[in-house]
Amino acid sequence: MKRLLTTAAALVLAGPAFAEGELKVYHWFEYIPQELVDKFTAETGITVTIDTYDSNEAMLASLKAGRMGQYDVAVPGDYMVQIMAGEGLLDTFAPADLPNFGNIAPQWLDVPFDPGRQSSIPYQWGSTSFSVNRDVYQGDIGTLAMIFDPPEELKGKINVLDSQGEVLTLASLYMGIPQCNTDREQLKALSDMLVAAKAHWASFGSDTAKDVLVSGDAAAGMIYNGFSAKARAEGANVEYAYPKEGFVVWMDNVVLLKDAPNRDNALAFMNFLLDPENAAAVTNYAAYTAGVTGVAPFLDAAIAESPENNPPADAPAGSFIEVCDAETQKLYDAIWTNLKK
Amino acid sequence: MAGPGTSGGGGGGGWRPLLVPLLMPTWLTIGIFLVLPVALMAVYSFLTKEFRGGVIWDFTLAAYDQFFVDRGLFGDEPPAIEWTYIAIFWRSIWQAGLATLFCLLVGFPTAWFIATRPASQRGVWLFLITIPYWVNLLIRTVSLKFLIRDNGPLNEGLMALGVLDAPVTLVNTNLAVQLGLFYSYLPFMVLPIYAAVERYNFALSEAAADLYASRWVTLREIVIPVVKPGIVAGCILVFVPSLGAFLAPDLLGGAKTFMIGSLIEEQFKGSLGNWPFGAAASMILMTLVLCALMVYARSASQAAGQGAAR
């Protein structure tokens, strides 16, 4: 009992000093190498705690359900940065707060989801389309029909991301209709097309998207480009497609959260991640692409030259997922619920 | 309850002043961890959904309306009955009911077998039943998926033995979900039935046999009525968690069709972010379960009354 009290007293006394050396990160699963976290701690003396989530929406729901003030930084995707800023969940900083701010690649500096980069810095970017197991299907895979109107060999062996934004955006691209659409006939057609396609799908799963390809449970699957590269590295004979109808591009960003308990440490962490060597370490781990200049000398050749990271010359431009207004979003929510009922 | 007959008799009255303080922790626990959350849920189910999660404090029936009334994709068609969620509930009840039935069919003989072993061996058998529970449910469910997948040990084994020519696809089917529920909750059926059978006086069976009752009649007229409380407890323990399960449908069923549990989960965690609707669906589910239990309790007490009268 006495020892317990002593410990408690020590903790209380050490409280303020301890808080100076802490950083609370809310991050995606499997997205930062532990060695890099250790390096940050070794350089700064700041201890890092990481909690993980598996979708942008889950992260937003958790923060809105009362976990603001517990985390310093989070890593939302592009459209989610805009949503979080709109909800007032983000704090701002000045470029001068981050000595490495100038390392941000020019095309990622003035982005529509955070003009002038006031609350966020680039983490990694990549694309979402799909991969096909080449042992199962040898034909041309450069079309989203592989998922939405699949050939005989792939029917019943397709995994689809359990993510409303990505599925509905890819489906819209396949049908050649705009996002955040309010045209009744087109939305009805989109819904009908998805319900018909679902008959050929085996499962919905995001964090399992790689494993089902590696295990052979799925012969084709909607997937992020780096995740597909990892599936290939683990022995699956899969090819990542850049379909002719288009694909989703995304950028994950480190954001400074409002009411961050350790704002200075958060800025130190963001600055650390803008160092080319550190950004490259994340890329080498996650197999996506950094949004920082000067990473090339630190990249593993296998990652830098991977087919997943280097679209063919004739690939179309990718599309970011757009943020719809509440009324329009309701329609897409209804299509998704109807699809999964 | 505090009639003169109880308070006047014997030394029990000495405990009475202590009753309230002794029960206080239980009441507090139930109040804080059961009544309060349920009350919160009830209130939230009548609030307005905030765009992208959260609630606005305007009272409305919108969540219940969404559950029961179909106004089309654009919300301007003439109202009709919304079958989507009723179908999800019905499918879940059907799956949970089947799982309960299968657990009973396998669990009762298992419990009987254990209870009729010599007392020294029963501990070992019960121990074997509980061993799987040392492993987290998530891991057991994933392992089951590994076992039954197309190129998993089950299919490969049966093909090697010549029983099958081609693998039977189990993963991502309703059958796999059923298997997962059955496997997850079987011990919840075995243990209460075992407890009831263990107390069963086997002299009753002998007496029945002496009176020329067949084995089937003995089982139906003597054994089952006596161990019925154990059977009912087992059925409730299997049925209720099966109804709300979302691990088995997600992992073994491929998350392709919503079950009640996954539908509710998606309202809070997923992209739909509709808390009032999730709360309303939970309230409807809870009401259904409570009604079923109350109907059972009433019929049980009536049966007990008849038994006493006989």
Side-chain angles (χ1 to χ4, degrees):
Chain A
M1 191 63 194
K2 193 180 164 197
R3 201 167 95 202
L4 197 71
L5 281 177
T6 322
T7 316
L11 277 177
V12 170
L13 289 176
F18 197 56
E20 277 175 26
E22 267 194 321
L23 179 71
K24 296 273 174 62
V25 179
Y26 202 22
H27 208 330
W28 289 86
F29 63 94
E30 259 190 84
Y31 207 2
I32 187 163
Q34 184 59 41
E35 300 79 43
L36 191 66
V37 179
D38 294 342
K39 183 183 171 194
F40 176 71
T41 303
E43 281 182 12
T44 59
I46 298 168
T47 52
V48 181
T49 315
I50 300 181
D51 288 342
T52 62
Y53 51 85
D54 64 0
S55 79
N56 280 309
E57 287 75 17
M59 181 262 299
L60 178 71
S62 166
L63 288 178
K64 284 187 75 171
R67 299 185 81 177
M68 285 301 291
Q70 290 186 24
Y71 295 108
D72 299 298
V73 295
V75 192
D78 42 87
Y79 69 100
M80 191 49 71
V81 174
Q82 192 178 338
I83 290 172
M84 290 173 80
E87 300 263 338
L89 302 182
L90 302 185
D91 207 349
T92 55
F93 53 81
D97 293 337
L98 303 175
N100 287 334
F101 192 85
N103 291 346
I104 298 177
Q107 75 266 34
W108 296 119
L109 198 52
D110 198 24
V111 284
F113 50 84
D114 183 17
R117 288 282 179 191
Q118 299 184 331
S119 304
S120 71
I121 59 156
Y123 187 69
Q124 297 280 302
W125 67 276
S127 64
T128 308
S129 75
F130 62 90
S131 292
V132 174
N133 187 323
R134 285 316 217 160
D135 295 336
V136 179
Y137 182 73
Q138 288 84 27
D140 173 32
I141 62 167
T143 164
L144 283 165
M146 291 296 120
I147 300 294
F148 297 113
D149 184 16
E152 211 50 52
E153 293 92 327
L154 299 179
K155 280 181 181 170
K157 295 177 189 158
I158 296 171
N159 179 65
V160 170
L161 292 175
D162 200 359
S163 158
Q164 181 182 339
E166 266 138 339
V167 173
L168 297 187
T169 303
L170 284 174
S172 301
L173 286 169
Y174 173 60
M175 298 194 71
I177 59 177
Q179 300 183 49
C180 296
N181 196 343
T182 51
D183 184 287
R184 295 182 70 118
E185 293 309 312
Q186 290 184 349
L187 285 180
K188 188 82 187 51
L190 179 71
S191 181
D192 292 347
M193 186 280 285
L194 282 165
V195 170
K198 186 189 169 189
H200 306 307
W201 298 346
S203 54
F204 283 88
S206 296
D207 46 3
T208 54
K210 179 189 71 181
D211 292 341
V212 291
L213 288 175
V214 175
S215 71
D217 283 352
M222 227 178 249
I223 197 165
Y224 320 111
N225 62 339
F227 222 26
S228 181
K230 281 188 159 188
R232 190 167 52 83
E234 289 175 22
N237 182 22
V238 291
E239 182 178 339
Y240 183 78
Y242 281 94
K244 62 176 191 242
E245 297 92 349
F247 51 90
V248 170
V249 274
W250 46 261
M251 164 164 269
D252 288 326
N253 308 269
V254 186
V255 294
L256 181 62
L257 291 172
K258 191 145 243 160
D259 307 326
N262 312 288
R263 183 189 159 92
D264 290 344
N265 295 348
L267 290 172
F269 185 63
M270 292 164 93
N271 192 54
F272 174 84
L273 289 174
L274 285 177
D275 182 281
E277 191 177 349
N278 300 333
V282 176
T283 298
N284 287 336
Y285 174 78
Y288 298 111
T289 308
V292 167
T293 52
V295 291
F298 306 105
L299 288 181
D300 293 345
I303 301 289
E305 290 155 18
S306 82
E308 289 85 0
N309 275 334
N310 296 281
D314 57 349
S319 315
F320 279 99
I321 294 176
E322 290 171 20
V323 181
C324 312
D325 61 60
E327 275 311 301
T328 312
Q329 189 59 43
K330 225 160 106 181
L331 303 177
Y332 285 87
D333 288 352
I335 292 174
W336 181 249
T337 308
N338 183 56
L339 178 64
K340 288 201 70 184
K341 73 185 177 192
Chain B
M1 195 166 149
T6 49
S7 60
W15 286 98
R16 190 148 294 271
L18 285 175
L19 208 55
V20 170
L22 280 176
L23 282 177
M24 204 45 115
T26 313
W27 287 346
L28 278 178
T29 310
I30 292 176
I32 295 174
F33 294 111
L34 183 75
V35 177
L36 215 61
V38 170
L40 201 68
M41 205 164 81
V43 173
Y44 266 52
S45 72
F46 292 106
L47 294 179
T48 304
K49 160 196 194 309
E50 192 187 344
F51 188 38
R52 300 197 178 93
V55 288
I56 302 165
W57 282 83
D58 286 333
F59 285 88
T60 166
L61 284 171
Y64 292 93
D65 182 86
Q66 181 184 345
F67 194 98
F68 291 112
V69 186
D70 177 15
R71 290 191 169 77
L73 185 56
F74 293 87
D76 53 4
E77 288 167 31
I81 297 176
E82 174 63 272
W83 291 106
T84 306
Y85 306 111
I86 296 171
I88 291 171
F89 270 54
W90 172 244
R91 185 166 49 233
S92 305
I93 291 169
W94 171 247
Q95 285 274 24
L98 270 185
T100 310
L101 181 69
F102 290 137
C103 281
L104 183 61
L105 288 178
V106 174
F108 187 86
T110 310
W112 186 271
F113 172 81
I114 297 175
T116 51
R117 292 311 95 190
S120 58
Q121 289 179 18
R122 288 177 208 162
V124 178
W125 289 106
L126 285 179
F127 175 74
L128 289 176
I129 293 279
T130 54
I131 278 186
Y133 282 73
W134 301 4
V135 179
N136 181 289
L137 176 63
L138 176 66
I139 295 170
R140 277 184 288 135
T141 308
V142 173
S143 311
L144 191 60
K145 188 176 172 180
F146 273 85
L147 278 176
I148 63 172
R149 67 173 28 145
D150 285 6
N151 48 8
L154 183 70
N155 269 312
E156 305 247 301
L158 287 176
M159 275 155 63
L161 289 172
V163 181
L164 293 176
D165 293 330
V168 173
T169 300
L170 282 172
V171 171
N172 301 325
T173 64
N174 284 334
L175 196 62
V177 177
Q178 185 54 238
L179 193 64
L181 293 176
F182 166 75
Y183 166 73
S184 301
Y185 299 118
L186 181 59
F188 292 161
M189 184 65 87
V190 173
L191 296 177
I193 295 181
Y194 164 77
V197 174
E198 200 196 17
R199 286 197 303 269
Y200 177 68
N201 183 354
F202 283 90
L204 291 175
S205 292
E206 286 168 24
D210 286 350
L211 294 169
Y212 298 103
S214 68
R215 292 182 144 214
W216 169 243
V217 171
T218 310
L219 180 72
R220 204 182 60 203
E221 297 290 330
I222 314 277
V223 177
I224 289 182
V226 172
V227 301
K228 195 176 157 203
I231 295 177
V232 170
C235 288
I236 292 173
L237 285 177
V238 171
F239 183 76
V240 173
S242 297
L243 203 52
F246 62 85
L247 269 184
D250 263 22
L251 290 172
L252 297 169
K256 261 200 306 187
T257 49
F258 278 135
M259 298 272 276
I260 296 179
S262 36
L263 175 74
I264 293 173
E265 188 210 9
E266 181 94 354
Q267 306 306 321
F268 291 95
K269 205 189 134 201
S271 50
L272 298 177
N274 190 340
W275 295 4
F277 183 70
S282 305
M283 290 304 292
I284 293 165
L285 172 63
M286 217 171 61
T287 311
L288 279 179
V289 171
L290 272 179
C291 285
L293 289 182
M294 268 156 64
V295 167
Y296 163 71
R298 174 159 297 182
S299 68
S301 68
Q302 274 169 4
Q306 283 167 8
R310 254 196 297 204

